[in-house]
Amino acid sequence: MYEYRTDILAKIQERLIHMIQHHSKVLVVRFDVRFPENAPLPQRNDAISALMKHLKDWFSLNSIEAHYLWVREQNLSETPHYHVAFLINGNRCQTGTGLLQSASQAWSVILNYPWPQGLVHYCDLDGGRAWIMLCRPSAQSKGAEQAAFGFQVQAVFERLAYLAKTYSKDLAPYRVRDFGTSLLRVETPVPMVIPTLYPGAQTAV
């Protein structure tokens, strides 16, 4: 059981609800990025910011709406690592393969490190794949279909909530952010309508 940060949970929920409301299909992709061994300790988040810009620019160039959230964590290693989630218009992008390959190639270039193997980890969201597709039922669908979709959304939210855990988020240098997100056109507070995580989970501001 973890303790969770409500500010990060809210950002996850805002983007998840926004994408579900605006697209009948939402592709959710998860991956982690790390620095190579013996790399200099990064004092800022320039590398992850460059990676997010590279990936977001590709979606923007192809007129595909996509939103992301990353968190910076550091525990026993000498360098931090980042957990990343992307939410993409699933009507325009069917799998996460292209995004993951692009992330690996771009991370290698950004770090000027020719061997990216092991630096980008593909997380398991669905049967060993690092992505899952949320397909919203039509307004005419029956109650059972709506309920099944609600359970699926809840399961995805719980997976993404891992990014909001407080554990290992207290080693960032002074005034260095420990998470970042894409911007929503209209970002207004929304009630925490998705049930609260796992039984016994705690939240922290």
Side-chain angles (χ1 to χ4, degrees), residues 8-196:
I8 300 178
L9 287 177
K11 296 295 184 184
I12 294 170
Q13 179 184 262
E14 286 166 358
R15 280 146 190 80
L16 185 56
I17 291 176
H18 169 86
M19 292 298 287
I20 290 172
Q21 289 176 339
H22 287 81
H23 305 287
S24 59
K25 294 182 179 180
V26 179
L27 180 68
V28 183
V29 185
R30 269 279 291 117
F31 62 93
D32 303 333
V33 293
R34 299 180 180 275
F35 293 91
E37 291 185 10
N38 302 317
L41 175 63
Q43 297 301 312
R44 299 171 60 87
N45 293 315
D46 295 344
I48 192 66
S49 296
L51 178 62
M52 295 299 99
K53 183 179 186 306
H54 170 82
L55 299 174
K56 191 68 163 59
D57 284 352
W58 185 89
F59 286 113
S60 297
L61 183 64
N62 290 277
S63 300
I64 302 174
E65 185 174 15
H67 289 281
Y68 65 79
L69 185 141
W70 60 260
V71 297
R72 172 181 174 137
E73 295 186 355
Q74 186 175 356
N75 187 15
L76 301 178
S77 63
E78 295 183 357
T79 56
H81 60 273
Y82 297 92
H83 300 298
V84 181
F86 261 85
L87 293 88
I88 307 160
N89 177 0
N91 295 293
R92 298 287 310 280
C93 191
Q94 301 299 313
T95 77
T97 301
L99 171 64
L100 295 168
Q101 291 176 346
S102 182
S104 295
Q105 294 167 0
W107 192 241
S108 175
V109 172
I110 291 167
L111 299 183
N112 191 26
Y113 190 76
W115 302 283
Q117 293 83 0
L119 298 185
V120 179
H121 171 68
Y122 302 169
C123 304
D124 182 3
L125 276 186
D126 182 29
R129 298 184 305 181
W131 66 88
I132 188 170
M133 184 74 79
L134 295 173
C135 299
R136 188 183 69 219
S138 67
Q140 292 74 37
S141 62
K142 297 181 179 180
E145 293 178 74
Q146 297 287 351
F149 179 66
F151 283 121
Q152 187 184 33
V153 172
Q154 168 65 16
V156 168
F157 177 70
E158 290 179 356
R159 292 292 188 90
L160 297 183
Y162 180 79
L163 277 66
K165 69 184 190 302
T166 59
Y167 177 72
S168 70
K169 284 190 175 65
D170 56 356
L171 293 180
Y174 177 63
R175 300 188 70 175
V176 172
R177 292 183 301 159
D178 51 14
F179 79 96
T181 68
S182 55
L183 296 177
L184 293 175
R185 290 191 183 93
V186 178
E187 190 166 0
T188 56
V190 294
M192 190 66 73
V193 296
I194 299 175
T196 304

